[in-house]
Amino acid sequence: MRRDFPRDVLFVTLRYSTPSHYSARDVLRQIQETVDFGSPRDELVDNIWVPEEKLPGFRKFIEDFYETCFKLELEILAALARALGVDEDHMVSLHNKAENEFRILHYPEVPASELADGTATRIAEHTDFGSITMLFQDSVGGLQVEDQQNPGVFRGIESADKTEIILNIGDSMQRLTNDTFRAACHRVTYPPSVKVGSEAVIPERYSIAYFAKPNRSASLFPFKEFITPSTPCRYEDINAWDFQNLRISRLFK
């Protein structure tokens, strides 16, 4: 986390690895501000907090919200395991250390023309590293998810209420289910109310993402239930920590 987190726009420049059916952009500017938090029980994470006197109750709210999301994560994963015929206790045990990330995102107001030439975006198309992602968003719009039946075609996902949770499948769950579930490729771009390349101003947008990940030591080798003669194993054994670092090394070059 940045200790000198600015009040104005963060312009993040990175080399971005897109799925193979896209034309890769060497450099892409993402216009967003983010702050990440981890579990207070996670010794690998050193959360940095605004002083209590400057933002009373903020730390407690975030830590309580994190814990609520963690409990819900385990309930969702247990239900998913039952639906898939996978051992429920095993699924939960892979995720029971709360080694997750909780991210607050702000997309500043920006002229639509800034995104017109394809060198800038709010968030480029990507998949998440973990098992599932719980996303809370405001009503501004702009979130799009790729239609897995029509690669390259993105569908808008809007929320009727801020209390709704959008649930994404991530890369780790794709591996655990041997591609039975595919990670959801998604992006944030123009909201439906703004014409592409127009002179309109895209309003600021807020969202919160809870990235539920397997324990760092957990194996991501596919569950035996998904390895059959007709669906041979597609993935080698790797733990979640090494897999995440591998993905990061490919994303940020």
Side-chain angles (χ1 to χ4, degrees), residues 187-205:
R187 65 189 185 189
V188 178
T189 182
Y190 297 87
S193 59
V194 176
K195 184 178 179 181
V196 176
S198 71
E199 293 306 312
V201 173
I202 301 177
E204 64 180 351
R205 181 179 189 273

Side-chain angles (χ1 to χ4, degrees), residues 110-240:
V110 62
S113 57
E114 282 281 306
L115 311 186
D117 64 0
T119 61
T121 186
R122 286 189 148 177
I123 288 186
E125 50 264 32
H126 67 285
T127 56
D128 296 334
F129 301 166
S131 296
I132 58 174
T133 300
M134 290 184 278
L135 179 68
F136 305 81
Q137 64 173 358
D138 61 18
S139 58
V140 170
L143 174 65
Q144 297 178 342
V145 176
E146 185 178 31
D147 185 338
Q148 295 187 348
Q149 302 303 314
N150 297 284
V153 176
F154 283 78
R155 312 290 186 187
I157 305 295
E158 298 185 47
S159 298
D161 189 274
K162 295 177 183 179
T163 60
E164 289 186 352
I165 302 175
I166 297 168
L167 190 67
N168 282 344
I169 295 296
D171 299 321
S172 295
M173 187 61 69
Q174 178 171 321
R175 295 178 71 94
L176 289 172
T177 62
N178 201 31
D179 286 357
T180 297
F181 278 163
R182 301 299 302 273
C185 182
H186 53 287
R187 65 189 185 189
V188 178
T189 182
Y190 297 87
S193 59
V194 176
K195 184 178 179 181
V196 176
S198 71
E199 293 306 312
V201 173
I202 301 177
E204 64 180 351
R205 181 179 189 273
Y206 291 90
S207 64
I208 298 173
Y210 179 85
F211 300 101
K213 297 181 176 182
N215 305 334
R216 297 186 185 103
S217 61
S219 169
L220 297 185
F221 193 73
F223 295 134
K224 67 180 187 301
E225 290 83 355
F226 299 101
I227 302 174
T228 69
S230 60
T231 56
C233 183
R234 294 180 172 88
Y235 298 103
E236 74 285 357
D237 194 8
I238 187 172
N239 66 40

